[in-house]
């Protein structure tokens, strides 16, 4: 049976629809949702079974997962990373919300939550109302990966209806908030103490 395709306003998400999606996440659902870059696939960070499903769907091993924590704001970020140097905090404050993923030293909560000894974690605070409202209502991050297109020439699918056709029997819900871009976030690794760009995406760095 195909999952629902739920239209949600990209600028003013309907509270009733946000509540419906959050309930699904709390029940262990895996969803596809919009961001300020490409569409993402994710689940409740605090649901281990949902994370197991997520890594199976995206086809990666839990020990080698490259998933990001989608956070509502910097105060939520601070719960999952080691204390940041003031220069790094200023960098995040200046660029988030925005199209950046920061690789940061993982805090003590991360191995307990994920069940693997991860020393670093990717952090995202998208500049998009839908993930912001979802995470704020959920109360903790969504763990997430980008939705890739099966065609390597395209890399990312921008049309949520095409995404729905590809994933409607694999996930529990697809949010339709219009076309996305086809450029992912810029990934900045801060684990060495220096800012190292490991993927140039939409975010311009240095800024």
């Amino acid at each position: 049976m195909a999952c629902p395709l739920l239209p949600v306003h990209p600028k003013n998400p309907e509270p009733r629809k946000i509540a419906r999606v959050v309930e699904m996440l709390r029940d262990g659902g895996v969803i596809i949702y919009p961001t300020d870059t490409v569409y993402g696939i994710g689940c409740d960070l605090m649901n281990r079974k949902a994370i197991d499903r997520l890594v199976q769907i995206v086809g990666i091993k839990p020990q080698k997962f490259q998933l990001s924590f989608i956070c509502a704001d910097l105060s939520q970020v601070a719960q999952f990373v080691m204390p940041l140097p003031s220069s790094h905090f200023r960098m995040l404050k200046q660029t988030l919300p925005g199209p950046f993923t920061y690789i940061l030293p993982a805090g003590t909560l991360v191995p307990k939550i994920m069940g693997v000894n991860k020393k670093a974690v990717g952090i995202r605070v998208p500049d998009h109302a839908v993930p912001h409202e979802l995470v704020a209502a959920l109360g903790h991050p969504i763990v997430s990966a980008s939705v890739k297109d099966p065609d390597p020439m395209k890399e990312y699918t921008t049309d949520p209806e095409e995404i729905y056709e590809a994933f409607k029997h694999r996930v529990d819900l697809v949010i339709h908030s219009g076309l996305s871009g086809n450029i992912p976030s810029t990934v900045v690794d801060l684990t060495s103490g220096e800012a190292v760009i490991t993927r140039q995406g939409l975010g311009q760095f240095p800024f």
Side-chain angles (χ1 to χ4, degrees), residues 63-181:
Q63 293 82 1
K64 297 183 179 180
F65 72 85
Q66 293 182 334
L67 303 172
S68 297
F69 289 11
I70 307 300
C71 299
D73 50 37
L74 291 183
S75 64
Q76 194 172 67
V77 169
Q79 299 175 35
F80 301 96
V81 301
M82 298 295 287
L84 298 176
S86 57
S87 59
H88 291 176
F89 180 80
R90 287 195 300 270
M91 187 183 302
L92 268 62
K93 189 174 182 180
Q94 187 172 351
T95 56
L96 300 177
F100 292 89
T101 299
Y102 285 100
I103 309 300
L104 299 168
T108 56
L109 278 178
V110 173
K112 296 175 184 177
I113 294 169
M114 305 303 296
V116 291
N117 186 23
K118 296 293 289 183
K119 297 185 182 300
V121 63
I123 294 293
R124 279 270 279 135
V125 183
D127 188 14
H128 194 292
V130 173
H132 180 272
E133 293 301 315
L134 288 175
V135 173
L138 185 62
H140 44 259
I142 293 172
V143 62
S144 180
S146 298
V147 175
K148 296 289 189 74
D149 193 281
D151 182 350
M153 295 296 292
K154 290 176 67 176
E155 193 169 8
Y156 298 100
T157 306
T158 62
D159 187 341
E161 294 189 9
E162 290 184 19
I163 293 172
Y164 177 73
E165 288 303 316
F167 285 90
K168 63 185 179 182
H169 295 296
R170 302 166 66 191
V171 301
D172 299 292
L173 182 139
V174 176
I175 294 177
H176 190 321
S177 290
L179 297 177
S180 73

